[in-house]
Amino acid sequence: MNTGYVAFIGRPNAGKSTLLNRLVGQKIAAVSDKPQTTRFKIQGIITRPEGQVVFVDTPGVHQPGYELNRRMMAAVQDALMGVDLLCLIRDASVSTGNGDRFVLDLVKRSEKPALLLLNKIDKLEDKSKLLPLIDWYRKEYEWREVIPISALKEQMTDVVVENCLRYLPEGEPIFSEDELTDQTLRVLVSEIVREKVLHVTGDEIPYVTAVVTERYEEVREDFARINCVIVVERNTQKKIIIGKGASRLKEIGIRARREIEALLGHRCHLELFVKVEEDWRNREQLLDEYGLSGN
Ligand SMILES: Nc1nc2c(ncn2[C@@H]2O[C@H](COP(=O)(O)OP(=O)(O)OP(=O)(O)O)[C@@H](O)[C@H]2O)c(=O)[nH]1
Ligand SMILES: [Mg+2]
Protein backbone atom coordinates (compact mmCIF):
# COMPACT_ATOMS: atom_id res chain seq x y z
CA MET A 1 0.00 0.00 0.00
CA ASN A 2 1.20 3.54 -0.76
CA THR A 3 1.26 6.32 1.79
CA GLY A 4 2.65 9.82 2.08
CA TYR A 5 2.34 13.57 2.01
CA VAL A 6 1.23 15.65 -0.97
CA ALA A 7 1.49 19.45 -0.92
CA PHE A 8 -0.81 21.75 -2.86
CA ILE A 9 1.02 24.79 -4.03
CA GLY A 10 0.00 27.64 -6.29
CA ARG A 11 -0.90 31.27 -6.53
CA PRO A 12 -3.58 32.77 -4.30
CA ASN A 13 -7.11 31.93 -5.45
CA ALA A 14 -6.08 28.96 -7.61
CA GLY A 15 -8.52 26.70 -5.77
CA LYS A 16 -6.18 24.74 -3.47
CA SER A 17 -8.45 24.81 -0.44
CA THR A 18 -11.53 24.07 -2.53
CA LEU A 19 -9.79 20.95 -3.82
CA LEU A 20 -8.70 19.92 -0.32
CA ASN A 21 -12.27 20.17 0.97
CA ARG A 22 -13.65 18.24 -1.99
CA LEU A 23 -11.13 15.42 -1.70
CA VAL A 24 -11.62 15.00 2.02
CA GLY A 25 -15.39 15.36 1.66
CA GLN A 26 -15.62 17.88 4.47
CA LYS A 27 -15.02 21.58 4.81
CA ILE A 28 -11.74 21.86 6.68
CA ALA A 29 -10.14 24.86 4.95
CA ALA A 30 -11.65 28.31 4.52
CA VAL A 31 -12.46 29.26 0.93
CA SER A 32 -13.15 32.67 -0.53
CA ASP A 33 -12.77 34.66 -3.71
CA LYS A 34 -10.34 36.98 -1.90
CA PRO A 35 -6.63 36.16 -2.29
CA GLN A 36 -4.54 35.01 0.70
CA THR A 37 -7.41 33.19 2.34
CA THR A 38 -5.25 30.34 3.64
CA ARG A 39 -2.62 31.39 6.18
CA PHE A 40 -1.07 28.16 7.45
CA LYS A 41 -0.66 24.54 6.47
CA ILE A 42 -3.79 22.44 6.74
CA GLN A 43 -3.68 18.69 6.41
CA GLY A 44 -6.54 16.71 4.90
CA ILE A 45 -6.33 12.94 5.07
CA ILE A 46 -7.96 10.34 2.87
CA THR A 47 -7.70 6.62 3.50
CA ARG A 48 -8.52 4.05 0.85
CA PRO A 49 -7.93 0.31 0.59
CA GLU A 50 -5.02 1.13 -1.76
CA GLY A 51 -3.35 3.55 0.62
CA GLN A 52 -3.42 6.85 2.47
CA VAL A 53 -2.79 10.37 1.19
CA VAL A 54 -2.12 13.29 3.50
CA PHE A 55 -2.80 16.44 1.48
CA VAL A 56 -1.14 19.60 2.74
CA ASP A 57 -2.94 22.80 1.75
CA THR A 58 -0.70 25.88 1.82
CA PRO A 59 -1.07 29.67 1.53
CA GLY A 60 -1.05 31.06 -2.00
CA VAL A 61 2.42 32.17 -3.08
CA HIS A 62 2.81 35.97 -2.98
CA GLN A 63 5.32 38.71 -2.18
CA PRO A 64 5.53 39.11 1.58
CA GLY A 65 4.82 42.61 2.85
CA TYR A 66 4.28 41.99 6.55
CA GLU A 67 5.70 39.51 9.02
CA LEU A 68 2.42 37.59 8.64
CA ASN A 69 3.08 37.15 4.92
CA ARG A 70 6.68 36.18 5.54
CA ARG A 71 5.43 33.44 7.84
CA MET A 72 2.85 32.35 5.28
CA MET A 73 5.63 31.90 2.73
CA ALA A 74 7.74 30.07 5.32
CA ALA A 75 4.82 27.65 5.65
CA VAL A 76 4.91 27.08 1.89
CA GLN A 77 8.66 26.38 2.00
CA ASP A 78 8.17 24.07 4.94
CA ALA A 79 5.50 22.11 3.07
CA LEU A 80 7.68 21.89 -0.04
CA MET A 81 10.48 20.35 1.98
CA GLY A 82 8.38 17.95 4.00
CA VAL A 83 6.31 16.11 1.37
CA ASP A 84 6.76 13.20 -1.02
CA LEU A 85 4.86 14.68 -3.94
CA LEU A 86 3.74 18.13 -5.10
CA CYS A 87 0.59 19.26 -6.87
CA LEU A 88 0.99 22.61 -8.57
CA ILE A 89 -2.52 23.98 -8.82
CA ARG A 90 -3.03 26.53 -11.55
CA ASP A 91 -6.16 28.50 -12.37
CA ALA A 92 -6.44 27.61 -16.07
CA SER A 93 -8.92 30.42 -16.69
CA VAL A 94 -6.38 33.23 -16.21
CA SER A 95 -3.34 34.10 -18.29
CA THR A 96 0.23 33.35 -17.26
CA GLY A 97 2.03 35.99 -15.21
CA ASN A 98 5.13 36.53 -13.08
CA GLY A 99 3.44 34.81 -10.18
CA ASP A 100 3.16 31.60 -12.18
CA ARG A 101 6.83 31.73 -13.09
CA PHE A 102 7.68 32.19 -9.41
CA VAL A 103 5.58 29.19 -8.31
CA LEU A 104 7.05 27.07 -11.07
CA ASP A 105 10.56 27.95 -9.91
CA LEU A 106 9.68 26.78 -6.40
CA VAL A 107 8.63 23.42 -7.81
CA LYS A 108 11.75 23.19 -9.97
CA ARG A 109 14.05 23.99 -7.07
CA SER A 110 12.38 21.36 -4.90
CA GLU A 111 13.26 18.70 -7.52
CA LYS A 112 10.32 16.69 -6.22
CA PRO A 113 7.96 14.60 -8.32
CA ALA A 114 5.00 16.78 -9.21
CA LEU A 115 1.58 16.71 -10.81
CA LEU A 116 0.25 19.74 -12.65
CA LEU A 117 -3.44 20.34 -11.94
CA LEU A 118 -5.10 22.81 -14.29
CA ASN A 119 -8.11 23.91 -12.29
CA LYS A 120 -11.39 25.73 -13.06
CA ILE A 121 -11.90 24.04 -16.42
CA ASP A 122 -15.63 24.55 -15.88
CA LYS A 123 -14.94 28.21 -16.65
CA LEU A 124 -13.39 27.43 -20.03
CA GLU A 125 -15.90 27.38 -22.85
CA ASP A 126 -13.25 26.34 -25.31
CA LYS A 127 -11.22 23.50 -23.79
CA SER A 128 -8.61 23.72 -26.57
CA LYS A 129 -7.36 26.82 -24.74
CA LEU A 130 -5.70 24.36 -22.36
CA LEU A 131 -3.30 23.12 -25.00
CA PRO A 132 -0.89 26.06 -25.14
CA LEU A 133 -0.90 26.15 -21.35
CA ILE A 134 -0.04 22.46 -21.14
CA ASP A 135 2.70 23.02 -23.76
CA TRP A 136 4.19 25.88 -21.78
CA TYR A 137 4.33 23.90 -18.55
CA ARG A 138 5.57 20.69 -20.20
CA LYS A 139 8.59 22.54 -21.55
CA GLU A 140 9.48 23.70 -18.05
CA TYR A 141 9.30 20.55 -15.92
CA GLU A 142 8.90 16.79 -16.08
CA TRP A 143 5.39 16.52 -14.67
CA ARG A 144 4.41 13.02 -13.64
CA GLU A 145 0.93 13.87 -14.94
CA VAL A 146 -0.96 16.89 -16.22
CA ILE A 147 -4.60 16.76 -15.16
CA PRO A 148 -7.28 19.30 -16.07
CA ILE A 149 -9.78 19.47 -13.22
CA SER A 150 -12.62 21.41 -11.70
CA ALA A 151 -12.35 21.38 -7.93
CA LEU A 152 -15.64 23.23 -7.62
CA LYS A 153 -17.63 20.85 -9.82
CA GLU A 154 -15.66 17.83 -8.66
CA GLN A 155 -14.53 16.94 -12.15
CA MET A 156 -11.47 14.66 -12.42
CA THR A 157 -10.83 14.88 -8.68
CA ASP A 158 -10.83 11.07 -8.41
CA VAL A 159 -8.09 10.97 -11.00
CA VAL A 160 -6.06 13.28 -8.76
CA VAL A 161 -6.36 10.83 -5.87
CA GLU A 162 -5.50 7.83 -8.06
CA ASN A 163 -2.38 9.53 -9.34
CA CYS A 164 -1.27 10.72 -5.93
CA LEU A 165 -1.54 7.15 -4.67
CA ARG A 166 0.38 5.93 -7.68
CA TYR A 167 3.35 8.23 -7.13
CA LEU A 168 3.59 7.96 -3.34
CA PRO A 169 6.10 5.58 -1.79
CA GLU A 170 5.10 2.30 -0.23
CA GLY A 171 4.31 2.48 3.45
CA GLU A 172 1.85 1.88 6.23
CA PRO A 173 -0.86 4.46 7.04
CA ILE A 174 0.27 7.38 9.20
CA PHE A 175 -3.18 8.25 10.56
CA SER A 176 -6.12 6.15 11.65
CA GLU A 177 -8.93 5.64 9.18
CA ASP A 178 -11.38 8.07 10.80
CA GLU A 179 -8.97 11.02 10.97
CA LEU A 180 -9.70 13.70 8.38
CA THR A 181 -7.47 16.57 9.45
CA ASP A 182 -4.77 17.72 11.84
CA GLN A 183 -6.74 20.87 12.70
CA THR A 184 -8.23 21.22 16.18
CA LEU A 185 -11.90 22.04 16.66
CA ARG A 186 -10.93 25.46 17.99
CA VAL A 187 -9.03 26.27 14.82
CA LEU A 188 -11.75 24.86 12.57
CA VAL A 189 -14.22 27.10 14.38
CA SER A 190 -12.11 30.26 14.09
CA GLU A 191 -11.50 29.57 10.42
CA ILE A 192 -15.24 29.23 9.80
CA VAL A 193 -15.76 32.61 11.44
CA ARG A 194 -12.91 34.18 9.45
CA GLU A 195 -14.33 32.77 6.23
CA LYS A 196 -17.71 34.33 6.98
CA VAL A 197 -16.01 37.66 7.65
CA LEU A 198 -14.43 37.39 4.20
CA HIS A 199 -17.77 36.53 2.62
CA VAL A 200 -19.75 39.26 4.28
CA THR A 201 -17.28 42.16 4.01
CA GLY A 202 -15.69 43.89 1.02
CA ASP A 203 -12.17 44.19 -0.29
CA GLU A 204 -10.29 45.93 2.49
CA ILE A 205 -11.03 43.61 5.39
CA PRO A 206 -9.53 40.23 4.36
CA TYR A 207 -5.91 41.13 4.95
CA VAL A 208 -6.42 42.79 8.31
CA THR A 209 -8.56 40.18 10.06
CA ALA A 210 -7.53 37.39 12.37
CA VAL A 211 -9.91 35.22 14.37
CA VAL A 212 -9.16 33.41 17.61
CA THR A 213 -11.40 31.01 19.54
CA GLU A 214 -11.02 32.24 23.10
CA ARG A 215 -13.50 29.92 24.72
CA TYR A 216 -14.77 26.55 23.67
CA GLU A 217 -16.83 24.77 26.25
CA GLU A 218 -18.91 21.65 25.78
CA VAL A 219 -21.58 22.61 28.31
CA ARG A 220 -23.50 19.42 27.62
CA GLU A 221 -22.98 16.55 25.24
CA ASP A 222 -25.23 18.29 22.75
CA PHE A 223 -24.46 21.95 23.42
CA ALA A 224 -21.32 24.12 23.26
CA ARG A 225 -20.53 27.68 24.24
CA ILE A 226 -18.06 29.36 21.96
CA ASN A 227 -16.48 32.81 22.07
CA CYS A 228 -14.44 34.07 19.15
CA VAL A 229 -12.49 37.29 18.86
CA ILE A 230 -12.24 38.98 15.50
CA VAL A 231 -9.07 41.07 15.42
CA VAL A 232 -8.62 44.05 13.12
CA GLU A 233 -6.02 46.81 12.89
CA ARG A 234 -8.10 49.97 13.15
CA ASN A 235 -11.28 51.31 14.65
CA THR A 236 -12.67 52.09 11.19
CA GLN A 237 -12.31 48.40 10.28
CA LYS A 238 -14.02 47.40 13.49
CA LYS A 239 -16.95 49.60 12.48
CA ILE A 240 -17.09 47.99 9.04
CA ILE A 241 -17.25 44.50 10.52
CA ILE A 242 -19.89 45.41 13.08
CA GLY A 243 -22.04 47.29 10.57
CA LYS A 244 -25.07 49.48 11.13
CA GLY A 245 -26.92 48.39 14.26
CA ALA A 246 -24.49 45.42 14.42
CA SER A 247 -26.20 44.01 11.33
CA ARG A 248 -23.03 42.74 9.68
CA LEU A 249 -21.67 41.09 12.79
CA LYS A 250 -25.03 39.39 13.29
CA GLU A 251 -24.94 38.09 9.74
CA ILE A 252 -21.41 36.74 10.27
CA GLY A 253 -22.59 35.08 13.48
CA ILE A 254 -25.65 33.47 11.91
CA ARG A 255 -23.70 32.05 8.98
CA ALA A 256 -20.82 30.84 11.14
CA ARG A 257 -23.06 29.24 13.75
CA ARG A 258 -24.95 27.32 11.09
CA GLU A 259 -21.73 25.81 9.81
CA ILE A 260 -20.20 25.19 13.24
CA GLU A 261 -23.34 23.32 14.31
CA ALA A 262 -23.15 21.15 11.21
CA LEU A 263 -19.52 20.41 12.03
CA LEU A 264 -20.21 19.55 15.67
CA GLY A 265 -23.44 17.74 14.97
CA HIS A 266 -25.22 19.68 17.69
CA ARG A 267 -26.27 23.17 18.75
CA CYS A 268 -23.96 25.89 20.00
CA HIS A 269 -24.04 29.41 21.31
CA LEU A 270 -21.58 31.56 19.40
CA GLU A 271 -20.49 34.93 20.71
CA LEU A 272 -18.34 37.24 18.61
CA PHE A 273 -16.24 40.18 19.77
CA VAL A 274 -14.32 42.60 17.61
CA LYS A 275 -11.01 43.88 18.93
CA VAL A 276 -8.46 46.34 17.56
CA GLU A 277 -4.78 45.38 17.66
CA GLU A 278 -2.73 47.95 15.79
CA ASP A 279 -0.31 46.49 13.27
CA TRP A 280 -0.88 42.90 14.51
CA ARG A 281 0.44 41.54 11.21
CA ASN A 282 3.92 42.68 12.16
CA ARG A 283 3.85 41.69 15.83
CA GLU A 284 5.64 38.41 16.44
CA GLN A 285 4.04 37.70 19.78
CA LEU A 286 0.50 38.25 18.53
CA LEU A 287 1.15 36.13 15.45
CA ASP A 288 2.34 33.32 17.74
CA GLU A 289 -0.76 33.74 19.89
CA TYR A 290 -3.00 33.57 16.83
CA GLY A 291 -1.39 30.31 15.75
CA LEU A 292 0.36 31.87 12.77
CA SER A 293 3.77 30.42 13.48
CA GLY A 294 4.85 29.87 9.89
CA ASN A 295 5.73 26.20 10.16
N1 LIG B 1 -15.38 28.14 -11.32
C1 LIG B 1 -14.56 27.58 -10.45
N2 LIG B 1 -14.21 28.24 -9.34
C2 LIG B 1 -13.37 27.64 -8.47
C3 LIG B 1 -12.85 26.34 -8.69
N3 LIG B 1 -12.04 26.03 -7.66
C4 LIG B 1 -12.06 27.08 -6.81
N4 LIG B 1 -12.87 28.05 -7.30
C5 LIG B 1 -13.15 29.37 -6.68
O1 LIG B 1 -11.94 30.11 -6.61
C6 LIG B 1 -11.92 30.92 -5.43
C7 LIG B 1 -10.67 30.65 -4.62
O2 LIG B 1 -10.74 29.34 -4.10
P1 LIG B 1 -9.82 28.87 -2.88
O3 LIG B 1 -10.00 27.39 -2.76
O4 LIG B 1 -10.06 29.70 -1.68
O5 LIG B 1 -8.37 29.18 -3.49
P2 LIG B 1 -6.94 28.99 -2.79
O6 LIG B 1 -6.01 28.56 -3.85
O7 LIG B 1 -7.05 28.11 -1.60
O8 LIG B 1 -6.61 30.49 -2.37
P3 LIG B 1 -5.59 31.03 -1.19
O9 LIG B 1 -5.91 30.31 0.06
O10 LIG B 1 -5.88 32.48 -1.13
O11 LIG B 1 -4.21 30.74 -1.70
C8 LIG B 1 -13.21 30.62 -4.69
O12 LIG B 1 -14.16 31.61 -5.01
C9 LIG B 1 -13.62 29.26 -5.23
O13 LIG B 1 -15.02 29.03 -5.19
C10 LIG B 1 -13.25 25.65 -9.90
O14 LIG B 1 -12.88 24.51 -10.19
N5 LIG B 1 -14.10 26.32 -10.72
MG1 LIG C 1 -6.61 28.44 0.35
Side-chain angles (χ1 to χ4, degrees):
M1 136 188 264
N2 290 356
T3 299
Y5 290 86
V6 178
F8 289 167
I9 86 150
R11 291 173 60 183
N13 253 334
K16 300 176 290 299
S17 303
T18 305
L19 182 63
L20 184 81
N21 293 338
R22 287 292 190 270
L23 292 177
V24 173
Q26 195 182 302
K27 169 83 159 295
I28 53 177
V31 165
S32 87
D33 60 1
K34 317 249 170 25
Q36 299 176 31
T37 299
T38 304
R39 287 187 175 153
F40 44 80
K41 287 179 296 176
I42 301 172
Q43 293 184 1
I45 305 150
I46 63 165
T47 308
R48 299 263 171 99
E50 315 89 88
Q52 186 174 69
V53 189
V54 184
F55 294 103
V56 185
D57 187 17
T58 66
V61 173
H62 64 283
Q63 294 271 9
Y66 296 79
E67 174 62 14
L68 166 67
N69 306 83
R70 200 197 59 72
R71 289 182 179 208
M72 286 161 71
M73 292 308 95
V76 174
Q77 288 293 352
D78 201 63
L80 279 167
M81 305 286 285
V83 298
D84 306 288
L85 180 69
L86 302 177
C87 287
L88 193 168
I89 303 182
R90 167 69 149 82
D91 181 345
S93 71
V94 298
S95 51
T96 307
N98 290 341
D100 296 299
R101 169 61 65 188
F102 195 81
V103 173
L104 180 65
D105 285 341
L106 289 178
V107 174
K108 282 184 177 176
R109 247 177 282 146
S110 79
E111 297 179 354
K112 300 234 170 170
L115 313 180
L116 173 65
L117 309 183
L118 298 172
N119 190 30
K120 309 200 187 183
I121 52 164
D122 57 289
K123 282 175 102 175
L124 292 182
E125 271 179 29
D126 178 6
K127 302 282 190 277
S128 70
K129 290 224 168 92
L130 285 170
L131 298 175
L133 197 60
I134 293 174
D135 261 1
W136 190 84
Y137 274 97
R138 281 237 194 255
K139 283 196 193 106
E140 298 285 343
Y141 200 66
E142 288 239 355
W143 307 98
R144 292 295 192 272
E145 307 285 340
V146 177
I147 312 170
I149 67 165
S150 168
L152 191 70
K153 310 269 184 209
E154 263 182 287
Q155 289 166 1
M156 299 291 280
T157 47
D158 271 351
V159 179
V160 173
V161 177
E162 279 164 31
N163 280 290
C164 287
L165 281 167
R166 176 180 307 164
Y167 293 106
L168 283 176
E170 235 186 88
E172 290 305 306
I174 304 156
F175 295 94
S176 68
E177 212 174 314
D178 56 353
E179 279 178 280
L180 295 182
T181 183
D182 63 337
Q183 301 294 294
T184 62
L185 264 183
R186 275 173 176 258
V187 172
L188 289 172
V189 163
S190 52
E191 285 292 277
I192 288 172
V193 172
R194 194 167 62 84
E195 185 194 76
K196 300 315 166 203
V197 173
L198 300 189
H199 291 184
V200 169
T201 56
D203 280 340
E204 186 202 7
I205 299 299
Y207 307 101
V208 299
T209 310
V211 178
V212 184
T213 306
E214 291 221 319
R215 175 184 181 207
Y216 183 96
E217 200 184 328
E218 292 275 346
V219 185
R220 292 194 311 268
E221 213 171 71
D222 62 349
F223 187 72
R225 279 186 187 283
I226 303 171
N227 295 356
C228 288
V229 178
I230 301 171
V231 182
V232 290
E233 291 189 326
R234 276 196 286 277
N235 226 348
T236 48
Q237 296 157 350
K238 178 173 170 173
K239 281 191 187 137
I240 292 174
I241 290 191
I242 293 175
K244 239 195 183 149
S247 57
R248 207 172 275 124
L249 192 63
K250 267 186 211 149
E251 180 64 26
I252 292 165
I254 289 166
R255 291 195 195 191
R257 184 166 56 84
R258 203 180 292 149
E259 209 168 297
I260 293 165
E261 288 183 341
L263 172 73
L264 302 178
H266 60 67
R267 284 181 46 235
C268 74
H269 178 79
L270 174 66
E271 218 161 301
L272 301 177
F273 303 89
V274 187
K275 182 168 142 186
V276 178
E277 286 284 9
E278 236 174 83
D279 202 31
W280 68 262
R281 285 180 289 172
N282 272 327
R283 289 162 65 183
E284 307 254 359
Q285 200 190 330
L286 285 181
L287 291 168
D288 290 343
E289 258 175 52
Y290 301 164
L292 299 160
S293 66
N295 55 42

